[in-house]
Amino acid sequence: MTRADKTQPNHRKRNSTVAPKTSRRLGRLPFFYASILTLFCLVLATYLRADTISGTVKDPSGAVVAGAHIEISGGNLSQPIVLTSDESGKFAAPNLSPGKYSVRVAKEGFDDLVSTVDLKGVADLPLSLTIAAQQTRVTVSAKSTGYANSDAAYRQLRDAGLGETYRCENFTLNVDVGTFQLKSGTITLLALVDKFETGAVFVGQGHFTLKPVDAIDTHEIVRRTGNPTAEEDFGEVVFRFSGNQYPQFAGALGARTETPPEAAAAFQHWKDKVRHRHEIPEGLTQAFFEGDTIDNVDADVLSAIYNPKHPPFFNAYMRGSPHKDLRFFMRTRVGALPQLDSPEEVALVNFNGGELDDGIWYSQHLASELKAHTADSREDKRLFATKRYNIETVIAKNDHLQSRATITFESLIPGERVMKFGLLPNLRVTRVTDQNGQDLHFIQENRKEDGSFYAILDEAPAIGQEHAISIEYVGDKVLVNAGNGSYYVRAREAWYPNLNGFGEKALYDLTFKVPPSNIVVSVGKLEGQSSEAGFAVSHWVTPVPVAVAGFNYGQYKKLDYPDTITHYNISGFYLTDLPDSLKPYENGALGAMSPTAMTKYALDQTRAQMQVCTIFFGKAPYDNVSITEQPDFFFGQSWPNLVYLPISAFIDSTQRWMLFGQINTKFTGFVQEVTPHEVAHQWFGHGVSWASYHDQWLSEGFAEFAAGLFLQQAVGKKWEKDYIDFWERQRVRVLEKNNFGVSPNDAGPLWLGLRLISPRSAQAYQGDTYSKGAYVLLMLRSLMYGDHGDNRDQAFIDMMHDYMATYRDTPASTESFKTIAEKHMTKQMDLQQNGRLDWFFNEWVYGMQVPRYHFKYELQSADGGKVKVHAEVTQSEVDNHFAMFVPIFADFGNGMVRLGQIGMVGNSTRTVDFVLDRQPKKVALNSYKDILER
């Protein structure tokens, strides 16, 4: 739901991709580093030889605390020694005499800590501070840390070794569209866990083949590998599976044999790969799959141990040639790639950092579903359904969070006991309890490892009944102080234990306790404010279920902006000072910046867009919306009734010119679009959500279309230039080739969504999902436009109102929207005479063709003073079945007027004659960029 400057390649900006990173290998550096390390150790040993007090200061989450004030007194000291902890939280006081000392540690936002030391040699102190906010009603207990990662079955899985080994010759294992040929080698089973087989290691000679079922996936495999099938020779593969998948291996097990050392090495290599998390991702796969919901494979297997009827899964991790980390997944119900929010059960991913072949090669439903035409993006992949979140959060003076979340849920699958949540790994869970207050085991490995959070229920909940668990957690990295009362809010989906992400809607009851100098602006409606123990307390409740909760935070001023037409409650929250990043420009380009005036401008845009969207799409799902400023310069985002606008949206054109030293047309376009785009997400994305990554264009593309609609409907009489420029930018974003010679449209069809991203097509998702998605809706509007009558957009408006009303409570898929469009299409649009729009969606959503048009005309005198137009239209660069209706316009002196549409099929030229009642200044084709063309 993000929106960022399209000129920026960074993944954080507008859901784009991670810029490829070049690997460099320097041959002599290891020896140099080894020499430095040896010298450092010798110096350190000498330094600590005298009696020394040293230590590391950490917060309750285990994160180091830099800048802590340390005061050491006692012994034979005539006055205290005063130190400050360094960036690693460390300090050291050498050359002390033996004796008793007192060590006091102080840091703003924490309680003072005093420790007594009887010094005899070296004392290295582990010093853990407690957050001062613990005096409030929300407390985080450390008494239950014994329940972390200590479940008996989980410990067996985590520490599992190798079991028996068997010879394996010429065995073929078929798993959906994947085929494993184990030609010659050994299979070593993992040690049993609670009498369950959970995995195996093959070493030897093998080959893997993946053969897609449909044309789109075949094209994608060709794009990724150069061949219509994925082929890989491998020397080792680690299989992990649910117990019901083990019988497939029965035929592979030959005679017992000794376990080769290569099997142990392969298993260790697998652990090193899947249990390691790159905090700074090098490529797409690391960014997607090593984030807040990184797979802890042992925890996933635990689900199947505690529920033998758990939906089956089968994972294979291949180390082969030429790919060293190729992973095949078959996971029913939860989806092969849960991080994609998709129910597709089968996937192939090449994990290769920032290299050119890194990416998601295949993701699709089971072949049986495809062949039976039962595959559907709307399949329910959840194991549990969330009903309500009740979250109390304390933000300390050091910007750390400590929270308690109570989550009410229902189980959807009998026997399930393991619940996986999205939670920022820096937020460390300290306790999990059930609805009776009994402690529960939970899993959360180190944040640098596979540190996703899982809760383990003592028993499987009954189907159809509500249950609740409470989770206490504490940590940092959710808020980053941008300076002068401004904050970056990170982890916007994972600042609380999020059970199903955007895959469902739930009710939220949120309480925030913060330092009184700051203000929280949250999703929901503000129900009350108070003070407690020196903290400002605010209470927010969502009146209707929403897909995600979020907040903005800082030293805000509020400005209410009523709308007497739609009666929405609109409020603006702005900052009176600049963040540190812009402080150098305070006395220059931004010296005349007026926060109040620019906030009113943003609110005026918001109000106008709310009115436009209400007319075209129906009533918004929320009565109130808060427009908040954030220090990000190229990044906007929309949450339910909460919009985050970049600070650049609060800077006028003159200040932007002074800031950049020129008129940057791309950035000007971004500023022009960002507010109406994000406001439109209150309808698209939150009013109606998307079913899977295939369907995200129904959110981003529709919001982008609405930004263009705003420029046409809300800016006054002189709208044409900005509107045409807007659609020209969209056209370029779809068709402009990058340094690899690949445009977003070249990468693949719109329907592939996030899978379009690769190092060779970094902007493909952005160009297709946003810009081509917007064009699909624009072209439907053009096709449905009435060339006669008063309200020529009525058919389109009726379609959009119907779409919003039909899918307000359930996610929409591409096929869902297609069904609505077919219900409202005009007679002319029924090209195949079957009441369906297959032709249009096959061309523009599932296809990659974009036509080129050539137009010429002649004017001739006709009877009665009228004018005859003889026009010739050529359509090219498409196949013989490609059909489109292209609008034709005439300018009679007051701008272009639409005359009608010309139908074109295939690579062809068509001539048309028509009569006008007066002489036009100009006749043109596609004047307002209604049809995407080359």
Side-chain angles (χ1 to χ4, degrees), residues 351-382:
F351 285 73
N352 199 16
E355 301 301 322
L356 291 178
D357 56 358
D358 178 74
I360 304 166
W361 288 7
Y362 181 85
S363 179
Q364 189 51 278
H365 290 275
L366 294 167
S368 58
E369 293 181 358
L370 295 175
K371 294 174 182 176
H373 303 289
T374 59
D376 192 336
S377 293
R378 294 174 297 171
E379 293 173 14
D380 194 348
K381 66 185 184 66
R382 299 172 299 165

Tab-separated table of all heavy atoms in Angstrom, residues 351-382:
chain	number	residue	atom	x	y	z
A	351	PHE	N	17.597	-18.921	-4.206
A	351	PHE	CA	18.183	-18.010	-3.229
A	351	PHE	C	19.638	-17.753	-3.632
A	351	PHE	O	20.490	-18.625	-3.492
A	351	PHE	CB	18.126	-18.610	-1.822
A	351	PHE	CG	16.758	-18.590	-1.197
A	351	PHE	CD1	15.758	-19.455	-1.627
A	351	PHE	CD2	16.455	-17.699	-0.182
A	351	PHE	CE1	14.502	-19.435	-1.047
A	351	PHE	CE2	15.202	-17.666	0.394
A	351	PHE	CZ	14.219	-18.540	-0.036
A	352	ASN	N	19.892	-16.545	-4.122
A	352	ASN	CA	21.254	-16.268	-4.587
A	352	ASN	C	21.641	-14.812	-4.351
A	352	ASN	O	22.237	-14.171	-5.211
A	352	ASN	CB	21.397	-16.634	-6.074
A	352	ASN	CG	22.855	-16.797	-6.476
A	352	ASN	OD1	23.737	-16.923	-5.621
A	352	ASN	ND2	23.111	-16.788	-7.767
A	353	GLY	N	21.256	-14.290	-3.170
A	353	GLY	CA	21.697	-12.958	-2.788
A	353	GLY	C	21.350	-11.918	-3.825
A	353	GLY	O	20.228	-11.848	-4.319
A	354	GLY	N	22.321	-11.123	-4.218
A	354	GLY	CA	22.091	-10.080	-5.200
A	354	GLY	C	22.466	-10.458	-6.607
A	354	GLY	O	22.570	-9.596	-7.478
A	355	GLU	N	22.652	-11.751	-6.867
A	355	GLU	CA	23.065	-12.180	-8.202
A	355	GLU	C	21.895	-12.100	-9.183
A	355	GLU	O	20.726	-12.025	-8.801
A	355	GLU	CB	23.638	-13.596	-8.151
A	355	GLU	CG	24.850	-13.741	-7.239
A	355	GLU	CD	26.006	-12.829	-7.643
A	355	GLU	OE1	26.228	-12.658	-8.857
A	355	GLU	OE2	26.667	-12.278	-6.754
A	356	LEU	N	22.196	-12.162	-10.464
A	356	LEU	CA	21.198	-11.912	-11.502
A	356	LEU	C	20.122	-12.986	-11.594
A	356	LEU	O	19.039	-12.726	-12.132
A	356	LEU	CB	21.890	-11.758	-12.864
A	356	LEU	CG	22.731	-10.486	-13.037
A	356	LEU	CD1	23.407	-10.471	-14.392
A	356	LEU	CD2	21.885	-9.242	-12.859
A	357	ASP	N	20.392	-14.190	-11.093
A	357	ASP	CA	19.375	-15.254	-11.193
A	357	ASP	C	18.594	-15.427	-9.892
A	357	ASP	O	17.797	-16.352	-9.760
A	357	ASP	CB	20.011	-16.579	-11.608
A	357	ASP	CG	21.126	-17.026	-10.670
A	357	ASP	OD1	21.443	-16.279	-9.713
A	357	ASP	OD2	21.693	-18.112	-10.892
A	358	ASP	N	18.798	-14.545	-8.941
A	358	ASP	CA	18.050	-14.590	-7.688
A	358	ASP	C	16.583	-14.290	-7.949
A	358	ASP	O	16.243	-13.408	-8.740
A	358	ASP	CB	18.624	-13.544	-6.721
A	358	ASP	CG	17.885	-13.478	-5.400
A	358	ASP	OD1	18.056	-14.392	-4.586
A	358	ASP	OD2	17.134	-12.504	-5.195
A	359	GLY	N	15.677	-15.053	-7.308
A	359	GLY	CA	14.268	-14.710	-7.466
A	359	GLY	C	13.312	-15.872	-7.298
A	359	GLY	O	13.708	-17.027	-7.098
A	360	ILE	N	12.032	-15.555	-7.384
A	360	ILE	CA	10.946	-16.539	-7.311
A	360	ILE	C	10.687	-17.035	-8.726
A	360	ILE	O	10.148	-16.301	-9.562
A	360	ILE	CB	9.671	-15.904	-6.717
A	360	ILE	CG1	9.968	-15.302	-5.348
A	360	ILE	CG2	8.554	-16.944	-6.610
A	360	ILE	CD1	8.875	-14.385	-4.846
A	361	TRP	N	11.067	-18.246	-9.005
A	361	TRP	CA	10.956	-18.770	-10.362
A	361	TRP	C	9.559	-19.326	-10.664
A	361	TRP	O	9.104	-19.290	-11.793
A	361	TRP	CB	11.995	-19.863	-10.583
A	361	TRP	CG	13.405	-19.356	-10.682
A	361	TRP	CD1	13.843	-18.078	-10.458
A	361	TRP	CD2	14.561	-20.111	-11.029
A	361	TRP	NE1	15.197	-17.992	-10.642
A	361	TRP	CE2	15.675	-19.220	-10.995
A	361	TRP	CE3	14.790	-21.446	-11.363
A	361	TRP	CZ2	16.962	-19.634	-11.291
A	361	TRP	CZ3	16.075	-21.862	-11.657
A	361	TRP	CH2	17.160	-20.967	-11.613
A	362	TYR	N	8.920	-19.854	-9.632
A	362	TYR	CA	7.619	-20.500	-9.869
A	362	TYR	C	6.798	-20.407	-8.596
A	362	TYR	O	7.306	-20.603	-7.486
A	362	TYR	CB	7.831	-21.978	-10.238
A	362	TYR	CG	6.562	-22.744	-10.539
A	362	TYR	CD1	6.003	-22.723	-11.812
A	362	TYR	CD2	5.922	-23.494	-9.564
A	362	TYR	CE1	4.841	-23.441	-12.101
A	362	TYR	CE2	4.758	-24.208	-9.838
A	362	TYR	CZ	4.228	-24.174	-11.112
A	362	TYR	OH	3.079	-24.877	-11.390
A	363	SER	N	5.524	-20.072	-8.746
A	363	SER	CA	4.574	-20.130	-7.644
A	363	SER	C	3.204	-20.350	-8.258
A	363	SER	O	2.755	-19.557	-9.083
A	363	SER	CB	4.601	-18.822	-6.832
A	363	SER	OG	3.657	-18.879	-5.767
A	364	GLN	N	2.564	-21.441	-7.855
A	364	GLN	CA	1.314	-21.788	-8.511
A	364	GLN	C	0.518	-22.755	-7.641
A	364	GLN	O	1.050	-23.358	-6.705
A	364	GLN	CB	1.605	-22.416	-9.884
A	364	GLN	CG	0.425	-22.641	-10.785
A	364	GLN	CD	-0.469	-21.435	-10.984
A	364	GLN	OE1	-1.324	-21.169	-10.147
A	364	GLN	NE2	-0.272	-20.695	-12.085
A	365	HIS	N	-0.754	-22.872	-7.975
A	365	HIS	CA	-1.598	-23.843	-7.300
A	365	HIS	C	-1.203	-25.264	-7.718
A	365	HIS	O	-0.445	-25.462	-8.681
A	365	HIS	CB	-3.066	-23.592	-7.651
A	365	HIS	CG	-3.616	-22.327	-7.052
A	365	HIS	ND1	-4.124	-22.269	-5.780
A	365	HIS	CD2	-3.705	-21.071	-7.554
A	365	HIS	CE1	-4.527	-21.033	-5.523
A	365	HIS	NE2	-4.286	-20.289	-6.583
A	366	LEU	N	-1.712	-26.239	-6.992
A	366	LEU	CA	-1.456	-27.632	-7.332
A	366	LEU	C	-1.871	-27.891	-8.781
A	366	LEU	O	-2.872	-27.351	-9.276
A	366	LEU	CB	-2.229	-28.553	-6.401
A	366	LEU	CG	-1.820	-28.538	-4.924
A	366	LEU	CD1	-2.871	-29.242	-4.080
A	366	LEU	CD2	-0.455	-29.188	-4.737
A	367	ALA	N	-1.099	-28.735	-9.458
A	367	ALA	CA	-1.411	-29.059	-10.852
A	367	ALA	C	-2.817	-29.637	-10.984
A	367	ALA	O	-3.518	-29.364	-11.966
A	367	ALA	CB	-0.375	-30.038	-11.392
A	368	SER	N	-3.238	-30.418	-9.993
A	368	SER	CA	-4.586	-31.004	-10.045
A	368	SER	C	-5.652	-29.917	-10.031
A	368	SER	O	-6.682	-30.030	-10.721
A	368	SER	CB	-4.786	-31.962	-8.878
A	368	SER	OG	-4.584	-31.291	-7.635
A	369	GLU	N	-5.430	-28.839	-9.273
A	369	GLU	CA	-6.381	-27.732	-9.244
A	369	GLU	C	-6.386	-26.970	-10.564
A	369	GLU	O	-7.450	-26.559	-11.053
A	369	GLU	CB	-6.045	-26.775	-8.096
A	369	GLU	CG	-6.233	-27.362	-6.712
A	369	GLU	CD	-5.918	-26.376	-5.610
A	369	GLU	OE1	-5.509	-25.239	-5.921
A	369	GLU	OE2	-6.071	-26.728	-4.435
A	370	LEU	N	-5.206	-26.790	-11.147
A	370	LEU	CA	-5.137	-26.088	-12.423
A	370	LEU	C	-5.874	-26.863	-13.510
A	370	LEU	O	-6.627	-26.283	-14.299
A	370	LEU	CB	-3.675	-25.876	-12.827
A	370	LEU	CG	-2.841	-24.963	-11.927
A	370	LEU	CD1	-1.397	-24.943	-12.392
A	370	LEU	CD2	-3.406	-23.555	-11.906
A	371	LYS	N	-5.657	-28.155	-13.553
A	371	LYS	CA	-6.292	-28.969	-14.592
A	371	LYS	C	-7.793	-29.071	-14.397
A	371	LYS	O	-8.548	-29.187	-15.365
A	371	LYS	CB	-5.650	-30.358	-14.614
A	371	LYS	CG	-4.189	-30.329	-15.060
A	371	LYS	CD	-3.521	-31.695	-14.925
A	371	LYS	CE	-2.052	-31.608	-15.346
A	371	LYS	NZ	-1.340	-32.908	-15.145
A	372	ALA	N	-8.238	-29.010	-13.142
A	372	ALA	CA	-9.677	-29.085	-12.860
A	372	ALA	C	-10.335	-27.704	-12.859
A	372	ALA	O	-11.542	-27.594	-12.647
A	372	ALA	CB	-9.907	-29.759	-11.516
A	373	HIS	N	-9.526	-26.648	-13.087
A	373	HIS	CA	-10.009	-25.264	-13.103
A	373	HIS	C	-10.671	-24.881	-11.778
A	373	HIS	O	-11.655	-24.151	-11.753
A	373	HIS	CB	-10.985	-25.053	-14.264
A	373	HIS	CG	-10.415	-25.387	-15.607
A	373	HIS	ND1	-9.452	-24.619	-16.233
A	373	HIS	CD2	-10.648	-26.452	-16.443
A	373	HIS	CE1	-9.131	-25.166	-17.385
A	373	HIS	NE2	-9.831	-26.280	-17.541
A	374	THR	N	-10.100	-25.367	-10.679
A	374	THR	CA	-10.622	-25.027	-9.349
A	374	THR	C	-9.677	-24.112	-8.568
A	374	THR	O	-9.981	-23.729	-7.437
A	374	THR	CB	-10.877	-26.301	-8.523
A	374	THR	OG1	-9.649	-27.036	-8.395
A	374	THR	CG2	-11.937	-27.170	-9.188
A	375	ALA	N	-8.526	-23.755	-9.150
A	375	ALA	CA	-7.581	-22.879	-8.463
A	375	ALA	C	-8.190	-21.499	-8.282
A	375	ALA	O	-8.829	-20.969	-9.188
A	375	ALA	CB	-6.282	-22.779	-9.264
A	376	ASP	N	-7.982	-20.914	-7.098
A	376	ASP	CA	-8.628	-19.643	-6.789
A	376	ASP	C	-7.759	-18.874	-5.791
A	376	ASP	O	-7.377	-19.425	-4.747
A	376	ASP	CB	-10.017	-19.883	-6.200
A	376	ASP	CG	-10.861	-18.618	-6.116
A	376	ASP	OD1	-10.290	-17.514	-6.067
A	376	ASP	OD2	-12.098	-18.740	-6.086
A	377	SER	N	-7.457	-17.619	-6.103
A	377	SER	CA	-6.672	-16.789	-5.186
A	377	SER	C	-7.371	-16.570	-3.860
A	377	SER	O	-6.742	-16.183	-2.873
A	377	SER	CB	-6.375	-15.422	-5.825
A	377	SER	OG	-5.515	-15.563	-6.934
A	378	ARG	N	-8.684	-16.800	-3.830
A	378	ARG	CA	-9.448	-16.537	-2.608
A	378	ARG	C	-9.511	-17.744	-1.679
A	378	ARG	O	-10.198	-17.696	-0.660
A	378	ARG	CB	-10.861	-16.085	-2.976
A	378	ARG	CG	-10.910	-14.746	-3.695
A	378	ARG	CD	-12.307	-14.422	-4.165
A	378	ARG	NE	-12.774	-15.410	-5.141
A	378	ARG	CZ	-14.013	-15.480	-5.603
A	378	ARG	NH1	-14.920	-14.619	-5.164
A	378	ARG	NH2	-14.353	-16.399	-6.483
A	379	GLU	N	-8.801	-18.821	-1.998
A	379	GLU	CA	-8.763	-19.964	-1.094
A	379	GLU	C	-8.286	-19.510	0.286
A	379	GLU	O	-7.358	-18.722	0.402
A	379	GLU	CB	-7.812	-21.041	-1.632
A	379	GLU	CG	-8.271	-21.704	-2.925
A	379	GLU	CD	-7.208	-22.636	-3.486
A	379	GLU	OE1	-6.249	-22.957	-2.750
A	379	GLU	OE2	-7.330	-23.046	-4.652
A	380	ASP	N	-8.912	-20.013	1.311
A	380	ASP	CA	-8.543	-19.644	2.676
A	380	ASP	C	-7.316	-20.449	3.092
A	380	ASP	O	-7.376	-21.679	3.192
A	380	ASP	CB	-9.712	-19.918	3.629
A	380	ASP	CG	-9.511	-19.252	4.988
A	380	ASP	OD1	-8.389	-18.776	5.262
A	380	ASP	OD2	-10.481	-19.220	5.773
A	381	LYS	N	-6.202	-19.769	3.315
A	381	LYS	CA	-4.968	-20.449	3.691
A	381	LYS	C	-4.681	-20.389	5.186
A	381	LYS	O	-3.668	-20.888	5.647
A	381	LYS	CB	-3.786	-19.845	2.933
A	381	LYS	CG	-3.470	-18.405	3.298
A	381	LYS	CD	-2.366	-17.845	2.417
A	381	LYS	CE	-1.974	-16.439	2.824
A	381	LYS	NZ	-1.358	-16.363	4.158
A	382	ARG	N	-5.587	-19.785	5.945
A	382	ARG	CA	-5.342	-19.576	7.370
A	382	ARG	C	-5.557	-20.862	8.170
A	382	ARG	O	-6.392	-21.687	7.836
A	382	ARG	CB	-6.272	-18.497	7.911
A	382	ARG	CG	-6.116	-17.123	7.281
A	382	ARG	CD	-7.217	-16.188	7.751
A	382	ARG	NE	-8.547	-16.679	7.387
A	382	ARG	CZ	-9.689	-16.229	7.908
A	382	ARG	NH1	-9.661	-15.267	8.832
A	382	ARG	NH2	-10.856	-16.719	7.513
